[in-house]
Amino acid sequence: MDISAKHQELTSILSSILVLGVFEDDKTLSSEQKKVDDALENLISEQIIKKEGFKAKFADTAITHTQLKIPSDKIMLVGLGKKKEFNTTKLTELCAKLIKQLDKTLGVKNVSCEPFGLDSENFDAGECAKAMSIGFLTGMYDYDKYKSKKNTPQIKKIRIALKNLKDEKSAKAGVNNAKILCSAMDFTKDLINEPAQNATPEAIAEIAKNLSNDLGLTFKSYNKKQLQQMKFNAFLAVGQGSEREPKFIHLTYKPATRKPKKKIVLIGKGITFDSGGLDIKPPNSMLTMKTDMSGCATVLGVIQAIAALKPDVEVHALSALCENMPSGTSYKQGDVLIAKNGKTIEVDNTDAEGRLTLADVLTYADELDADEVIDIATLTGACVVALGQNITGIMGNNPNMIKSIIQKGKESGENLWELPIYDDMQEMLKSDIADMRNTGSRFAGASVAGRFLQNFTKSKNWAHIDIAGTAFIDKPYRELNKGATGVMVRTLTNYIMSI
Ligand code: BES
Ligand code: MN
Ligand code: ZN
């Protein structure tokens, strides 16, 4: 499916269907739409709007034949809802809904459309084309790798037809940007959806290596023996119950300039399957635990997009990959682990494994002396309870940094909400025999996990993002289908691009 933007007259486009957007407020046609209506002898204004009473409610559609009065076979009106409520997030959602109808219900091959709502002046042509393209591409995402019958898209071409030639350049750039972001999101989603039997630590390390080779990134990976020498003891403890060897991966994007504006480290939780370990999870909680490497998949997606967008920022993507399994060699309740930074941790619950793996990676990140460190993890069920499946939790030690990530999220159509970390939450992690335990009580679980992580970073600009609820969803949300979402790929990429 190819998307493009071009300066073109609506009445001269040859396509299977021409889609026009109408606001609910007034339903008056724009000057461009009027030209189409004239050519169609008032089919839109008289037939669809007046006689059939098309209301133009958000994502409502009406279709009719053009009787070849214009080169396109059919005409479709799509409701944009209320003008005041319309923004790029709504536009993306709209296009995801629209593309499904065009592809699945109508089965058309060649679509042309307006830049919806551009006249509302809520956004410019570049933002419009980008938001639309993200909606089209995200709406079409489908994980059918293991289905005998594939959902091959019917749609081959989507053309966004621009009224003004001066908008062409920025609209083309918007489409291109969307393609980069969506291919990164697709990569992330595919990796999350992949069953744990195949997405093993070794396999993911191999995928990351191939990605690095393709994109010209530096790639390093470390095996168990090397990690023992590097004192990744907390991480290795989590993986020791599994038959599969743990891997730690480190990818680097370096800009062409010698002195980049900033150095950013991204850390993704990489538990390829979380059974809970000896504190084994009940069956229902384990069902989706192949997704416990979503943080890893996210940072790989982000660095993929970054390699294409080439900002003047150095970006590192790190992930400690292992399985959390119960066996005769598993780490146990009561074990004391000496983390990479020397602090000792009493294992209270083997199911609080993510923070143990992240702890050592945060310490490793200290050595990179980065300007900012951001970790992203499916870390706590408590975050899901607090914020649900459509809002991502964020916390850290720099309020301004958190504020600007939340703001980027807003602009990217992704919701974030800050959760607090109080210094005295360390009390809840108190151990009788070690520096701390890996869990607190059942209270404030997401924040206490954040407080735990804070013990292992020296960075003054550290943010922790909890995607336990948002990485994999049961119900479609906005442009997202159910299953893996690729959440935070857009936010973090856009955040880095804005540095
Ligand atoms: N991977 C889970 C968190 C999770 C829960 C992710 C639901 C996605 C959906 C994490 O390793 C975990 O098991 N956390 C425990 C911590 C507890 C033992 C303190 C939890 O949240 O129950
Ligand atoms: Mn767990
Ligand atoms: Zn986990």
Side-chain angles (χ1 to χ4, degrees):
M1 190 177 85
D2 188 54
I3 307 175
S4 60
K6 208 180 163 212
H7 167 60
Q8 219 170 2
E9 197 73 48
L10 293 177
T11 47
S12 66
I13 305 174
L14 186 69
S15 64
S16 337
I17 192 161
L18 171 66
V19 190
L20 307 178
V22 182
F23 279 109
E24 189 182 337
D25 314 63
D26 47 18
K27 291 184 282 296
T28 50
L29 302 180
S30 69
S31 58
E32 291 310 290
Q33 293 171 339
K34 256 211 174 70
K35 284 187 212 162
V36 180
D37 194 37
D38 287 345
L40 294 176
E41 292 159 22
N42 301 333
L43 196 63
I44 300 173
S45 54
E46 290 299 323
Q47 182 65 28
I48 303 181
I49 295 180
K50 254 203 198 129
K51 244 184 160 167
E52 293 169 20
F54 180 70
K55 294 265 185 337
K57 293 225 183 294
F58 186 73
D60 265 3
T61 54
I63 307 164
T64 185
H65 270 279
T66 61
Q67 320 291 0
L68 298 180
K69 286 169 187 151
I70 58 170
S72 291
D73 297 340
K74 287 178 187 158
I75 186 107
M76 178 192 250
L77 292 198
V78 61
L80 305 180
K82 300 209 168 69
K83 206 176 259 178
K84 230 179 48 225
E85 291 165 13
F86 204 66
N87 54 30
T88 52
T89 301
K90 282 271 182 203
L91 179 53
T92 296
E93 177 182 347
L94 179 90
C95 288
K97 294 203 161 105
L98 182 64
I99 196 81
K100 284 179 194 140
Q101 193 183 352
L102 291 166
D103 189 65
K104 303 228 157 54
T105 317
L106 299 170
V108 292
K109 286 207 162 49
N110 188 347
V111 177
S112 55
C113 58
E114 291 182 292
F116 300 132
L118 186 55
D119 289 340
S120 73
E121 289 175 11
N122 292 352
F123 37 73
D124 65 30
E127 292 165 329
C128 181
K130 177 176 171 180
M132 287 178 70
S133 305
I134 291 176
F136 291 141
L137 293 167
T138 314
M140 288 301 281
Y141 178 80
D142 182 36
Y143 188 69
D144 61 4
K145 182 173 173 186
Y146 295 105
K147 294 243 175 153
S148 307
K149 201 168 158 275
K150 310 286 183 207
N151 280 326
T152 331
Q154 296 295 308
I155 297 187
K156 297 279 175 286
K157 248 169 90 176
I158 304 176
R159 163 81 42 96
I160 303 171
L162 304 156
K163 176 170 73 173
N164 300 319
L165 179 62
K166 67 166 175 47
D167 286 341
E168 201 179 84
K169 203 172 157 208
S170 68
K172 277 185 193 297
V175 173
N176 196 40
N177 196 269
K179 285 179 183 169
I180 290 169
L181 285 174
C182 289
S183 100
M185 280 167 71
D186 287 356
F187 171 89
T188 298
K189 289 188 251 192
D190 284 348
L191 199 50
I192 295 171
N193 283 323
E194 184 71 47
Q197 78 200 106
N198 299 328
T200 61
E202 205 171 340
I204 294 178
E206 190 63 26
I207 288 167
K209 182 180 169 187
N210 293 335
L211 183 75
S212 303
N213 288 340
D214 292 348
L215 303 174
L217 305 170
T218 317
F219 176 81
K220 273 203 231 147
S221 86
Y222 302 88
N223 61 23
K224 187 170 169 182
K225 210 165 151 205
Q226 294 165 312
L227 291 164
Q228 280 164 343
Q229 281 158 7
M230 293 156 76
K231 298 197 166 60
F232 273 63
N233 302 323
F235 166 46
L236 289 171
V238 173
Q240 78 189 28
S242 167
E243 297 272 332
R244 307 189 196 273
E245 200 186 356
K247 292 271 181 207
F248 171 61
I249 56 171
H250 180 169
L251 292 74
T252 312
Y253 161 80
K254 279 202 170 130
T257 40
R258 198 161 304 175
K259 188 90 191 64
K261 282 193 265 182
K262 267 189 183 173
K263 191 196 276 192
I264 307 284
V265 175
L266 304 173
I267 301 172
K269 173 173 169 181
I271 301 295
T272 61
F273 188 75
D274 183 10
S275 71
L278 291 178
D279 280 302
I280 196 161
K281 285 180 185 291
N284 271 336
S285 309
M286 217 187 290
L287 268 180
T288 56
M289 281 303 135
K290 68 170 184 184
T291 69
D292 214 19
M293 34 54 75
S294 296
C296 172
T298 307
V299 301
L300 292 179
V302 172
I303 206 163
Q304 173 183 323
I306 289 300
L309 296 168
K310 301 193 188 334
D312 188 19
V313 179
E314 186 172 314
V315 180
H316 296 255
L318 314 177
S319 186
L321 292 151
C322 72
E323 272 185 341
N324 185 21
M325 298 294 276
S327 79
T329 59
S330 293
Y331 77 133
K332 306 170 192 70
Q333 295 82 345
D335 281 359
V336 175
L337 317 175
I338 307 170
K340 183 168 166 59
N341 72 351
K343 293 191 184 175
T344 57
I345 309 161
E346 183 186 3
V347 177
D348 189 56
N349 191 317
T350 62
D351 199 11
E353 83 298 336
R355 62 195 75 181
L356 296 171
T357 66
L358 293 170
D360 286 343
V361 185
L362 283 165
T363 304
Y364 175 92
D366 279 343
E367 293 163 18
L368 298 172
D369 195 27
D371 296 289
E372 294 181 13
V373 175
I374 303 171
D375 77 71
I376 173 153
T378 46
L379 204 64
T380 65
C383 189
V384 193
V385 173
L387 301 176
Q389 290 197 313
N390 304 321
I391 303 169
T392 295
I394 182 167
M395 58 205 92
N397 57 12
N398 178 340
N400 286 329
M401 179 181 167
I402 290 170
K403 221 181 256 163
S404 57
I405 296 173
I406 293 174
Q407 178 56 29
K408 271 302 147 207
K410 212 173 244 166
E411 293 166 18
S412 311
E414 298 186 319
N415 313 324
L416 291 125
W417 196 262
E418 186 180 357
L419 297 171
I421 298 179
Y422 278 74
D423 279 346
D424 57 20
M425 283 173 167
Q426 189 68 26
E427 277 295 305
M428 295 164 88
L429 293 166
K430 223 173 153 149
S431 160
D432 290 336
I433 63 165
D435 297 338
M436 70 195 94
R437 295 183 304 169
N438 70 332
T439 61
S441 67
R442 64 196 180 84
F443 298 131
S447 293
V448 173
R451 184 66 191 87
F452 178 89
L453 294 177
Q454 204 174 355
N455 288 286
F456 302 91
T457 182
K458 289 199 179 105
S459 174
K460 293 280 168 283
N461 304 310
W462 161 72
H464 158 60
I465 300 180
D466 196 333
I467 52 169
T470 50
F472 193 88
I473 56 180
D474 301 332
K475 277 203 243 83
Y477 178 66
R478 291 182 182 164
E479 68 276 14
L480 301 172
N481 299 331
K482 67 174 186 171
T485 59
V487 71
M488 293 299 120
V489 169
R490 278 179 279 174
T491 298
L492 290 174
T493 304
N494 291 337
Y495 176 69
I496 293 169
M497 292 310 294
S498 71
I499 285 171

